[in-house]
Amino acid sequence: METDHFLTSESSFLSLVHHALSVQQTEDGYFQINRFTDGQREEASSHPLYKAMANTAAGACLRFKTHTPVQLDIKRINQSLLPRAEEHALDLAALYGRPLDLNESIDVVYQDGNVEYLPLKSGAIEIDAEQTVSIHLPLHHQVEVRLRGEVEPLDQKRSAFLMMGDSIIQGVGLHHPSQSLGAQLETLLDASFLNQGLAGKLISPRLVQELPLSQPLRGIIVGYGTNDWVVRENLAELRGEMFALLGRIRKFHPQTPVLVLTPLWRSDIQEKKRMGTFSEMQIALTQATRCFPKVSVADGLSLSLRDSYDDAFLHPDSKAVSFLAKGLARQLR
């Protein structure tokens, strides 16, 4: 291994990356894997939580066959998720109102189906020669990676979906990234899934921007609303924001089928928020879709496995995400 060199070409490294848009090499030779464009990350910089989560590689993985022993170095990047007093930003942690378990692993999945769930920490992962692997990167922690050894990239999927939404789309509630919604949908539909979920995010039309895609999208999943129900003042504002978001999707993806996933079950579903009831919120989201062609709706309540929540409140666990993925796959085929 001492005689091998780290991979230094951005294009060569990008060929190993699945479910992402780009990579950027840092001064110390590591690579940041990007699932958002620079413009989208700028749009997401309005809150420390959004900014930090936009820098994660949620849903992305490295896939390759090794021809020599390989060393993959992981560098964990720590970022603050809380706003400073002078920022006058929403205190999303206080709105959530309970502890959130963001513990997770880095998953090495071998061709024979064996999986290693490795602790998320800075350090080296070593893989033997003549192995075909997928390395799933963390869903809600930022890491940078570099690779030493001789590898062969694996082919990318021929069709791709875009997923937009909040923490449930990003993967909060899951502790193993190989069990994410995108990973399960990939298996069910034999397609790539670009995860652009952001924990805590409200419906944000300006986050819809032109993407550097090599081929037209097969479909787009939109999963917002549960945070809006808690934060926004009224149903008209909610409808207007979803209408604007779908309008921007049609601007950049005029013919792409869109599936709007209404919010999943949550334990406070019987409460009435400032904008109204949970049911009224779901109806308002559905109403906003009716002016757009090729936009369908998936009922989040019917796709919720209510006894399988990681926090007993809002975020489905791996069993519930598997149930959700199977339901969505039926509507996406």
Side-chain angles (χ1 to χ4, degrees):
M1 182 69 71
E2 288 78 6
T3 60
D4 294 331
H5 297 288
F6 285 107
L7 189 62
T8 58
S9 163
E10 287 188 357
S11 60
S12 295
F13 196 88
L14 182 59
S15 70
L16 309 178
V17 179
H18 292 237
H19 318 307
L21 290 176
S22 66
V23 300
Q24 182 178 357
Q25 191 170 30
T26 62
E27 291 182 357
D28 54 3
Y30 283 80
F31 289 92
Q32 176 178 324
I33 295 172
N34 301 317
R35 58 194 179 103
F36 293 97
T37 65
D38 290 343
Q40 287 177 310
R41 285 202 299 275
E42 177 64 26
E43 184 64 29
S45 66
S46 61
H47 193 286
L49 176 63
Y50 305 155
K51 183 177 181 179
M53 291 301 175
N55 286 327
T56 65
C61 67
L62 305 176
R63 286 188 172 142
F64 50 81
K65 180 177 181 180
T66 63
H67 294 303
T68 64
V70 163
Q71 176 180 309
L72 181 71
D73 288 342
I74 306 291
K75 182 167 70 171
R76 181 171 173 176
I77 310 296
N78 293 314
Q79 298 186 85
S80 173
L81 306 181
L82 301 176
R84 294 186 294 270
E86 64 271 18
E87 290 179 313
H88 303 293
L90 281 173
D91 187 344
L92 294 169
L95 286 172
Y96 187 70
R98 62 201 70 202
L100 186 61
D101 185 359
L102 294 181
N103 229 357
E104 61 179 327
S105 62
I106 294 175
D107 300 351
V108 182
V109 182
Y110 292 87
Q111 191 173 32
D112 62 6
N114 287 329
V115 185
E116 292 181 340
Y117 301 110
L118 303 177
L120 172 55
K121 61 181 181 180
S122 296
I125 297 173
E126 295 186 354
I127 303 168
D128 293 336
E130 304 306 319
Q131 297 289 332
T132 300
V133 296
S134 296
I135 301 175
H136 294 259
L137 299 174
L139 294 166
H140 22 65
H141 292 89
Q142 184 184 356
V143 296
E144 294 173 356
V145 295
R146 64 180 181 181
L147 184 142
R148 179 163 61 180
E150 185 180 342
V151 299
E152 175 186 339
L154 302 184
D155 290 340
Q156 302 277 344
K157 300 291 184 182
R158 288 181 290 181
S159 62
F161 288 82
L162 169 65
M163 300 193 303
M164 304 186 66
D166 50 36
S167 56
I168 294 170
I169 296 295
Q170 184 176 341
V172 174
L174 299 173
H175 305 292
H176 302 303
S178 60
Q179 299 171 355
S180 71
L181 178 61
Q184 297 198 50
L185 285 169
E186 177 186 12
T187 299
L188 292 167
L189 296 174
D190 191 30
S192 175
F193 281 80
L194 175 63
N195 184 341
Q196 289 199 331
L198 276 179
K201 204 75 176 85
L202 308 182
I203 299 169
S204 302
R206 293 189 64 81
L207 200 58
V208 181
Q209 299 181 18
E210 187 172 6
L211 301 177
L213 300 171
S214 59
Q215 57 187 340
L217 290 169
R218 179 172 157 189
I220 298 173
I221 300 171
V222 176
Y224 290 105
T226 200
N227 298 317
D228 299 78
W229 185 51
V230 176
V231 173
R232 292 194 188 276
E233 295 289 337
N234 56 68
L235 294 169
E237 180 185 0
L238 177 75
R239 275 192 300 269
E241 290 297 286
M242 178 57 80
F243 187 90
L245 182 138
L246 293 172
R248 284 184 65 86
I249 287 177
R250 278 291 162 256
K251 174 183 176 181
F252 296 111
H253 310 281
Q255 298 300 321
T256 304
V258 176
L259 180 63
V260 172
L261 171 65
T262 60
L264 304 186
W265 179 89
R266 46 188 291 164
S267 65
D268 60 354
I269 194 172
Q270 298 302 327
E271 295 181 11
K272 186 172 182 178
K273 307 297 184 183
R274 284 176 295 180
M275 74 160 58
T277 65
F278 191 89
S279 177
E280 289 171 331
M281 175 267 295
Q282 287 191 304
I283 291 170
L285 290 174
T286 301
Q287 288 172 337
T289 70
R290 291 176 179 163
C291 294
F292 297 93
K294 294 188 176 181
V295 175
S296 56
V297 177
D299 176 29
L301 288 182
S302 67
L303 297 177
S304 300
L305 205 57
R306 304 181 186 191
D307 60 350
S308 295
Y309 272 59
D310 185 69
D311 52 10
F313 170 47
L314 179 64
H315 295 105
D317 63 15
S318 59
K319 182 179 177 182
V321 169
S322 179
F323 182 81
L324 172 63
K326 290 173 183 175
L328 289 175
R330 286 192 292 269
Q331 291 192 238
L332 291 168
R333 287 191 175 96

